[in-house]
Amino acid sequence: MERLYLDFDSFFATAEQHFNPDLRGKPVGVIPLDSPHTGCIAISREAKALGLRSMAKMSEARALIPDMVFVVARHDVYVRLHNRILEVIETCLPVAKVRSIDEVVCHLLPSEAREGEALARRIKRALATNFSDILTCSIGMAPTETLAKIGAEMNKPDGFALIEATALPDQLAHLALRKLPGISQGMEARLNAAGISDFEGLWRLAPKQARAIWGSVEGERFWCELHGTHAERPATVKRMFGHSRMLPADWRGPDKLRECAQQLTISAGRRLRRADLRATKLSLGFRGGERPMSRTGKAKLRWEWEAQFLPARDDHRFLTALNEGLTAARAALPFRPRSVSVMLHGLVSDENMTGDLFSDQDTGNGTLRDEQNRWEDVSDVMDRLRATHGPDAISLGPRSTVPGGYLGAKIAFGRIPDQADFGDAPVSDHDTHFCSF
């Protein structure tokens, strides 16, 4: 069965141009928060054409493109747009997999695969008709998802590529290794160390050689996909709920760090409860800048801490563990952090959980009602109040407004937030938030 891979072009930036026609044709940068010290999380095709790289700092972007327009990311708007896009694509083809906010995979019947570029044009026409011609995508078709993704990325923006197994390796021989999905800088270094510096060298690998270079079966799966044979992957299992946040300069002191970490923890706890799971570990992490190393360049400053506890799902248990970590950080953190992360992991479900033999028993009705049970009830009630009256309806302790907003509702690679993550009733998609700096 053939695969179709659809990848939207500069999605966040073109989404803003779609909703605000005044931005069309202009270099646009989407930033995570309204601060002069942040960087772009997406740039428009106009900015790319002027030589700006993705993830450029705001100062760098302004130096290269003085008239660049910056808008603050609106994750709830992008998620609503994504959901409407899926509905439109479904009028042409069933969506088999959603890989990210701007990437989807469709499985093609033989009759659909034979349509080739005509099918791609029909999908693009449906998107332009239902939205606007600024919201473009690039499409690849191939025997496997990996090859189809390569095809989608070959002719951006608004491109199309049909990759046939019989045309390999010649059709892709011009691609650099880093242009292939799954080949990171580190993996490229491993391939180079094995004497592989181009696509043809990668193509000539044997499956077992690929497994050895990757250090796992993933290398053999990559080899199969590259050679036109679909490789099954095990279903992903949720292993953690976590959030991180880059901090503005005025939020890097101990008190503001604590406020931000607490809000991240509470948000992760809400997501955990919606999944009907419990956590047994909490990790707290900070990152700083970089420190020079004598021979190996620079090393990023990191500090991490972890707590373990009995399976829990309540905010009180998580915040208690977090406060222990923050106390340890205050005593031992050797640098001024630029970002903070909190992760709940060691997940278990109720059916796989062993009860606490030493919990108190309520002899009045024969049910377990220890302190943890009571805090779980409190967390459940607070979740219901927030769902009914908005995220600001109630909080466990003082509530802070963290710069950038969208706590727990930011789009990340491979994760698209649920509407429940946003809480509030949606504002107009057309209310663009321009940077004030």
Side-chain angles (χ1 to χ4, degrees):
M1 182 179 288
E2 296 278 307
R3 265 58 173 179
L4 180 148
Y5 204 101
L6 188 151
D7 185 355
F8 279 87
D9 305 311
S10 305
F11 182 63
F12 290 0
T14 52
E16 293 294 347
Q17 291 174 320
H18 164 66
F19 288 120
N20 188 344
D22 291 341
L23 295 177
R24 297 177 189 179
K26 298 179 180 179
V28 175
V30 180
I31 54 177
L33 67 160
D34 194 354
S35 167
H37 306 293
T38 189
C40 299
I41 57 175
I43 58 175
S44 67
R45 70 193 70 187
E46 294 85 359
K48 292 177 181 177
L50 292 172
L52 189 66
R53 62 179 179 84
S54 299
M55 310 304 291
K57 293 181 179 179
M58 206 167 156
S59 56
E60 178 186 343
R62 278 206 166 120
L64 181 64
I65 311 174
D67 60 346
M68 186 149 174
V69 181
F70 295 95
V71 298
V72 181
R74 301 181 295 157
H75 297 264
D76 51 341
V77 171
Y78 308 148
V79 170
R80 289 197 296 275
L81 178 59
H82 162 84
N83 290 332
R84 294 200 295 270
I85 284 171
L86 293 184
E87 293 174 359
V88 172
I89 295 174
E90 289 271 2
T91 65
C92 302
L93 279 176
V95 173
K97 298 173 184 175
V98 175
R99 290 303 186 200
S100 68
I101 189 74
D102 59 350
E103 298 177 80
V104 302
V105 179
C106 301
H107 296 170
L108 303 180
L109 298 172
S111 58
E112 294 166 334
R114 285 193 293 270
E115 292 187 62
E117 189 170 5
L119 176 59
R121 284 198 302 267
R122 189 161 76 246
I123 295 171
K124 292 184 179 191
R125 189 163 54 248
L127 292 168
T129 300
N130 285 273
F131 301 103
S132 62
D133 56 7
I134 196 69
L135 201 66
T136 61
C137 64
S138 296
I139 293 176
M141 291 185 190
T144 67
E145 184 175 323
T146 296
L147 288 173
K149 181 175 174 62
I150 292 171
E153 295 177 351
M154 279 175 59
N155 300 314
K156 278 181 162 284
D158 199 19
F160 170 79
L162 173 63
I163 298 175
E164 299 178 295
T166 55
L168 298 173
D170 295 344
Q171 188 177 0
L172 304 181
H174 65 286
L175 294 179
L177 293 177
R178 287 294 300 279
K179 290 292 185 181
L180 304 177
I183 306 293
S184 62
Q185 183 177 356
M187 184 54 64
E188 183 182 36
R190 288 193 195 183
L191 289 166
N192 291 165
I196 299 159
S197 59
D198 54 23
F199 185 88
E200 291 185 351
L202 181 64
W203 179 266
R204 289 193 298 268
L205 278 177
K208 298 301 181 186
Q209 288 177 297
R211 180 193 282 250
I213 293 171
W214 261 256
S216 72
V217 70
E218 190 58 35
E220 199 163 339
R221 290 194 185 110
F222 181 88
W223 184 95
C224 290
E225 288 270 329
L226 196 65
H227 284 74
T229 302
H230 174 65
E232 288 290 342
R233 286 178 169 80
T236 56
V237 178
K238 188 68 179 176
R239 300 190 182 280
M240 66 92 177
F241 293 88
H243 301 298
S244 62
R245 179 57 54 97
M246 292 295 298
L247 300 165
D250 57 347
W251 271 71
R252 296 174 184 173
D255 293 339
K256 292 295 186 182
L257 276 175
R258 178 182 293 273
E259 291 177 24
C260 185
Q262 287 174 338
Q263 296 302 322
L264 295 175
T265 301
I266 290 171
S267 179
R270 287 200 295 270
R271 290 177 55 209
L272 176 101
R273 288 189 290 276
R274 285 206 302 273
D276 200 21
L277 293 170
R278 296 172 183 266
T280 60
K281 298 178 183 179
L282 180 145
S283 293
L284 171 67
F286 296 109
R287 291 192 180 187
E290 295 179 332
R291 59 180 173 85
M293 299 181 69
S294 56
R295 286 175 294 180
T296 56
K298 296 180 179 179
K300 292 189 180 296
L301 298 173
R302 297 182 180 182
W303 186 90
E304 295 180 345
W305 179 92
E306 182 178 286
Q308 296 190 35
F309 37 78
L310 291 172
R313 57 186 296 279
D314 61 286
D315 291 338
H316 181 265
R317 172 65 270 183
F318 300 147
L319 290 174
T320 299
L322 175 71
N323 286 334
E324 294 171 5
L326 291 169
T327 300
R330 189 183 288 265
L333 191 64
F335 57 85
R336 184 176 174 84
R338 294 184 180 180
S339 71
V340 57
S341 64
V342 178
M343 180 171 64
L344 300 174
H345 53 121
L347 305 182
V348 296
S349 58
D350 282 348
E351 57 265 28
N352 294 326
M353 187 181 72
T354 302
D356 182 5
L357 295 177
F358 300 100
S359 62
D360 297 330
Q361 188 172 16
D362 184 345
T363 55
N365 57 20
T367 60
L368 296 177
R369 294 292 297 170
D370 60 10
E371 183 180 5
Q372 181 176 343
N373 297 141
R374 290 190 288 272
W375 278 113
E376 288 179 5
D377 291 343
V378 170
S379 294
D380 290 338
V381 169
M382 292 175 67
D383 286 349
R384 290 196 292 271
L385 287 171
R386 293 189 192 103
T388 304
H389 302 288
D392 296 329
I394 190 170
S395 65
L396 193 61
R399 179 177 176 82
S400 304
T401 301
V402 178
Y406 294 107
L407 280 168
K410 283 200 169 186
I411 299 163
F413 180 77
R415 179 187 175 240
I416 302 170
D418 297 324
Q419 187 58 47
D421 290 321
F422 298 107
D424 278 324
V427 297
S428 170
D429 292 345
H430 300 272
D431 293 338
T432 304
H433 181 184
F434 291 97
C435 175
S436 60
F437 292 93

